[in-house]
Amino acid sequence: MLTSFIEGLLCCLTSKPANTVVPVETSEPADGYEFVEVKPGRVLRVRHIIPDRPAVEEPSLGGIVSCKRKITVYRNGQLFIENLGERASAELKTCQNGETEPNSMVEVELTDCRNSSPPVSIPEARKPKRTVVIDCERRIAACKGTHSDVALFFIHGVGGSLDIWGSQLDFFSRLGYEVIAPDLAGHGASSSPHIAAAYTFYALAEDMRLIFKRYAKKRNILIGHSYGVSFCTFLAHEFPDQIHKMVMINGGGPTALEPSLCSIFNLPTCVLHCLSPLLAWSFLKAGFARQGSREKQLLKEYNAFNVSSFVLRAMMSGQYWPEGDEVYHAELTVPVLLVHGMHDKFVPVEEDQRMAEILLMAFLKVLEDGSHMVMLECPEAVNTLLHEFFLWEPVTLPPPKKEPKARPETAKPQTDNISEPATVRPATARQT
């Protein structure tokens, strides 16, 4: 604590940030670490593992899901979602709950609405403020490690690094998956520009867009944690045809990002540096279900919450993304798995439940023994959930058979010495 106070005092006197992160040279290139210059002077560390596949399997055709829904935003801030895809809705309900349900309509109130009136029935005479109609089809198939057209992208959140995905990267690379995990700017071993504008949502999202374009395959799966979920959502909108599935781990509700004006992270950088031991203790308390020696070792071993005070302050104040509202999330047609740690004190379970209601195809799984850093606390359970989701594919229900209309019988003429015509069998059509 005394060391942090002295360093913080020097930071205030010299106007220089303490513990600035700079890229380091890796001595183990065989582990798949690369340094990618996304912009001049902006270098990100990326772990890219291309496994040796003894056998390559052709992907299955999977099933086609009809994505039809109507999203209406009314002037009082009410969001009304009507799912129109009857067969797709029934199939997804069957996979999730084991029961078949008809079309569903979701009626919620926008969180960023200034009008706090409770939801009411929607009269037909009310004019909508905005209407979005989605009418498309998606082919969803199982993604196996033996499929060469599949890539997994792992994106961490504030204060983390690619090291928090260590268990997942090792597990899925052993199964044959190609995995990509970057360090955000200012995190891990990526470069740390000394300018706050380098850590806005749009600057970081542009970094992730360039990383995705560099490593993307035909079918890509995005896995995001906390703030990293927002970047995954951004990429799913930017590349809808290339994103096959998506995983949100403790990502929160489908609300637009806006930095809080009354936050401890608005304090000067030198003050935050003096408070860094307290912040680390608070993160351990809120980010883990238990606060023992194992959890402290996980924080140290996986390089979690090891970021400079300047970067931390810039990251928190740069979380401005007004486009990422409920409608933005409701427009997604990609299947989404939501994983939530029950003891998470950063993200309440109600936020992930709301996200599941807004999304078109969502499966919510809650782990009772996990918290915000659930991938570190319960790596085996998280790996199993993710792998099952990667292998999941919908079974498209066959269209209902139309019964042929009965033709009215024609009375036969009563004639003598007239023989019946020979019966002619129709040719059998070939199935293609």
Side-chain angles (χ1 to χ4, degrees):
M1 182 69 183
L2 180 61
T3 304
S4 299
F5 176 78
I6 295 175
E7 290 180 355
L9 182 61
L10 293 175
C11 171
C12 292
L13 295 176
T14 59
S15 299
K16 294 182 180 180
N19 59 308
T20 302
V21 180
V22 294
V24 297
E25 293 294 335
T26 175
S27 59
E28 298 177 337
D31 287 345
Y33 290 99
E34 304 173 1
F35 286 96
V36 179
E37 188 174 26
V38 291
K39 291 181 180 179
R42 192 176 178 97
V43 181
L44 303 184
R45 182 182 68 155
V46 179
R47 189 175 184 188
H48 180 208
I49 303 177
I50 305 177
D52 295 329
R53 299 184 179 94
V56 177
E57 182 182 351
E58 290 296 327
S60 62
L61 295 178
I64 298 178
V65 175
S66 177
C67 305
K68 295 182 180 180
R69 67 183 346 194
K70 182 178 180 181
I71 309 167
T72 306
V73 182
Y74 291 87
R75 298 188 181 278
N76 70 338
Q78 202 169 27
L79 179 67
F80 189 74
I81 302 176
E82 184 178 4
N83 294 325
L84 306 175
E86 187 168 323
R87 290 173 56 206
S89 175
E91 168 60 23
L92 291 174
K93 296 290 184 180
T94 301
C95 292
Q96 198 166 6
N97 302 324
E99 298 178 357
T100 301
E101 299 180 7
N103 291 349
S104 58
M105 292 182 290
V106 181
E107 186 175 350
V108 295
E109 188 177 3
L110 293 179
T111 56
D112 57 349
C113 171
R114 297 181 180 179
N115 187 0
S116 59
S117 59
V120 295
S121 59
I122 300 177
E124 294 181 358
R126 189 195 311 172
K127 294 183 179 180
K129 180 181 179 181
R130 180 186 176 191
T131 301
V132 178
V133 178
I134 299 175
D135 188 358
C136 64
E137 290 184 344
R138 289 190 70 101
R139 180 178 294 276
I140 304 170
C143 299
K144 300 180 180 180
T146 53
H147 296 164
S148 59
D149 64 338
V150 175
L152 311 182
F153 287 81
F154 294 83
I155 304 179
H156 67 82
V158 177
S161 70
L162 64 84
D163 297 326
I164 68 171
W165 301 111
S167 298
Q168 287 70 46
L169 298 180
D170 294 339
F171 176 80
F172 286 105
S173 61
R174 286 196 300 266
L175 292 178
Y177 290 94
E178 182 174 349
V179 297
I180 302 97
D183 276 333
L184 296 178
H187 294 69
S190 292
S191 61
S192 178
H194 185 45
I195 178 174
Y199 304 100
T200 63
F201 171 83
Y202 296 102
L204 298 171
E206 178 63 16
D207 291 344
M208 295 301 100
R209 190 182 71 85
L210 295 175
I211 292 295
F212 179 82
K213 290 183 63 177
R214 180 185 178 95
Y215 296 102
K217 297 290 186 177
K218 182 178 180 180
R219 294 187 298 161
N220 304 278
I221 301 178
L222 306 178
I223 304 97
H225 171 247
S226 193
Y227 191 28
V229 169
S230 298
F231 302 120
C232 292
T233 306
F234 169 80
L235 293 176
H237 264 270
E238 288 288 306
F239 306 97
D241 296 332
Q242 291 180 266
I243 307 302
H244 200 69
K245 295 178 182 179
M246 187 163 63
V247 180
M248 300 180 175
I249 302 178
N250 293 325
T255 56
L257 297 180
E258 186 174 355
S260 175
L261 298 178
C262 301
S263 172
I264 188 175
F265 299 103
N266 291 328
L267 294 173
T269 301
C270 52
V271 177
L272 287 178
H273 185 71
C274 294
L275 298 175
S276 57
L278 178 62
L279 294 176
W281 178 83
S282 300
F283 180 81
L284 177 66
K285 192 79 173 177
F288 290 86
R290 300 176 181 84
Q291 294 80 41
S293 57
R294 175 180 177 268
E295 285 70 28
K296 294 180 181 178
Q297 182 63 27
L298 288 175
L299 275 179
K300 183 179 180 180
E301 180 180 353
Y302 289 98
N303 202 22
F305 206 72
N306 183 19
V307 65
S308 72
S309 303
F310 172 80
V311 172
L312 181 61
R313 184 179 188 272
M315 289 284 292
M316 299 304 294
S317 61
Q319 293 186 16
Y320 179 71
W321 185 36
E323 296 87 359
D325 56 6
E326 284 90 345
V327 178
Y328 189 90
H329 288 81
E331 292 175 346
L332 292 177
T333 59
V334 60
V336 179
L337 170 66
L338 295 101
V339 180
H340 182 86
M342 178 61 75
H343 301 279
D344 191 351
K345 297 180 179 62
F346 290 113
V347 179
V349 67
E350 291 79 13
E351 293 191 13
D352 279 335
Q353 289 174 342
R354 180 180 176 86
M355 178 72 83
E357 293 176 354
I358 293 295
L359 295 172
L360 178 63
M361 291 184 281
F363 308 90
L364 174 60
K365 300 295 182 180
V366 180
L367 296 180
E368 297 182 356
D369 296 332
S371 184
H372 193 66
M373 305 300 293
V374 66
M375 77 287 289
L376 297 179
E377 300 170 289
C378 314
E380 294 83 6
V382 171
N383 292 342
T384 300
L385 285 177
L386 267 59
H387 192 213
E388 291 178 352
F389 179 63
F390 297 166
L391 299 180
W392 169 79
E393 63 181 23
V395 179
T396 306
L397 299 180
K401 296 182 179 180
K402 296 182 180 180
E403 296 182 358
K405 296 182 180 179
R407 296 182 179 179
E409 294 183 358
T410 304
K412 296 182 180 180
Q414 299 292 332
T415 57
D416 296 331
N417 301 326
I418 298 179
S419 61
E420 290 285 339
T423 303
V424 180
R425 296 182 179 180
T428 303
R430 294 184 179 179
Q431 295 181 353
T432 58

